[in-house]
Amino acid sequence: MRRRSITRQLPFLLLLLVTVAFAKIDHVKEKTAETHGDATKLKAKEAPEHIDHKKLFTENFKQRRSEHKAAIESIKGIGKDKTRLFLEDLLKNIKSLLKESRETIERTAHLADSPFPHNSDLLKDAFSKLHENTALFTDLSLAFSKFFETKVQKDRKLKTLLVWAYNYSIKTGIFDSETEKKVNLMAQQHELIEKDEKFFNSYDKERVKEDMEAEEAQRKQKKSKKAENKQPKGEL
């Protein structure tokens, strides 16, 4: 039964890998094609003023977040060996897409607090890659904390990229309150920002359990030593 369950989950996880590799939130279709290049070459498109493009983007983003959560739960059920392989592939894709989005955003000189770039498919695509993959990395990092903490500690380029992704995405106003809270927690986890004294990651259930068991073992050990010290010593 266990093998059958894993087999059923694999197609969904493989689909997730493909989805992440080509992550792009769907936008309102517009007829005018865009010339890719720097900011001076981006052509404005005509769009009805009543359409709130940023709102549409954030609503689609929320839908993607639901898919992310379902994927995380599925990954947890495939066994440690398979999980590591999936995480390796996911991290590789996420790193690549964050790098692409950074290159595009910096080339076009679009600031994080600038108006939503509804007239640029190039920037909307970069925004999709940035926000989706920052959020997905956050979910994965918090759920599989030991794996990702080791990866970030050993990869300076990855950490530098995460610092940029965090600083930019947190200022755009795309994240909903729940996602923003988790992204801030991830940033503390990897010391992208100062870690709060009360920092606690409740999303890695296995690690929380291990930490609680370790604390309980220490408590019992201290109690045992205290009891031994209270026992009267024999006379010389």
Side-chain angles (χ1 to χ4, degrees):
M1 291 294 291
R2 179 64 177 168
R3 288 185 178 179
R4 184 177 297 178
S5 176
I6 292 174
T7 302
R8 288 176 178 175
Q9 290 170 348
L10 289 178
F12 176 77
L13 294 171
L14 290 172
L15 178 61
L16 171 66
L17 289 175
V18 174
T19 303
V20 171
F22 299 97
K24 181 178 180 180
I25 298 174
D26 292 331
H27 311 292
V28 177
K29 293 183 179 179
E30 300 175 67
K31 295 181 180 180
T32 308
E34 177 181 349
T35 301
H36 288 208
D38 59 25
T40 61
K41 295 181 180 179
L42 297 178
K43 295 182 179 180
K45 301 175 183 179
E46 294 182 2
E49 293 183 0
H50 67 278
I51 295 178
D52 188 336
H53 295 274
K54 185 175 182 179
K55 184 178 180 181
L56 288 173
F57 187 94
T58 54
E59 287 177 352
N60 284 321
F61 175 76
K62 287 180 181 179
Q63 177 59 39
R64 298 287 289 170
R65 294 294 294 133
S66 298
E67 295 170 7
H68 290 169
K69 292 176 183 178
I72 298 298
E73 291 305 312
S74 295
I75 293 173
K76 289 179 180 179
I78 64 174
K80 289 187 177 181
D81 291 337
K82 289 187 175 68
T83 296
R84 176 169 287 276
L85 291 175
F86 271 102
L87 295 181
E88 291 279 1
D89 286 337
L90 281 168
L91 180 58
K92 182 179 179 180
N93 285 323
I94 289 172
K95 184 178 178 180
S96 176
L97 289 164
L98 287 177
K99 184 179 179 181
E100 286 179 21
S101 67
R102 181 179 187 177
E103 290 172 352
T104 299
I105 290 171
E106 290 185 342
R107 185 172 69 249
T108 57
H110 186 86
L111 301 178
D113 56 359
S114 297
F116 182 77
H118 70 273
N119 62 340
S120 169
D121 282 343
L122 181 65
L123 277 172
K124 284 189 292 186
D125 184 40
F127 261 49
S128 295
K129 291 175 180 176
L130 168 61
H131 292 87
E132 280 199 47
N133 287 284
T134 298
L136 179 57
F137 176 86
T138 292
D139 288 338
L140 291 165
S141 182
L142 294 177
F144 307 98
S145 58
K146 287 184 178 180
F147 174 87
F148 282 93
E149 284 170 14
T150 299
K151 289 293 183 181
V152 174
Q153 287 171 5
K154 292 182 177 180
D155 191 339
R156 289 185 179 181
K157 289 184 178 180
L158 173 59
K159 186 167 185 177
T160 299
L161 186 59
L162 290 173
V163 169
W164 172 83
Y166 169 78
N167 286 331
Y168 193 98
S169 62
I170 209 73
K171 296 176 183 177
T172 61
I174 299 298
F175 292 146
D176 55 87
S177 58
E178 180 185 353
T179 300
E180 183 174 335
K181 184 178 179 180
K182 292 184 73 174
V183 170
N184 275 312
L185 195 64
M186 177 277 293
Q188 292 179 57
Q189 174 192 18
H190 297 295
E191 298 182 347
L192 310 183
I193 59 176
E194 186 176 353
K195 184 177 288 188
D196 191 282
E197 292 181 358
K198 297 181 180 179
F199 172 85
F200 177 68
N201 174 18
S202 62
Y203 296 97
D204 191 338
K205 304 298 183 184
E206 185 176 339
R207 189 168 186 177
V208 169
K209 183 180 178 182
E210 290 176 358
D211 290 344
M212 289 179 66
E213 290 175 348
E215 288 177 6
E216 179 63 16
Q218 283 185 336
R219 188 186 66 78
K220 288 181 178 180
Q221 188 176 20
K222 288 181 180 179
K223 187 176 181 180
S224 177
K225 285 184 178 181
K226 191 174 181 180
E228 288 178 5
N229 292 333
K230 285 184 178 181
Q231 291 180 359
K233 296 181 180 180
E235 295 182 2
L236 294 176

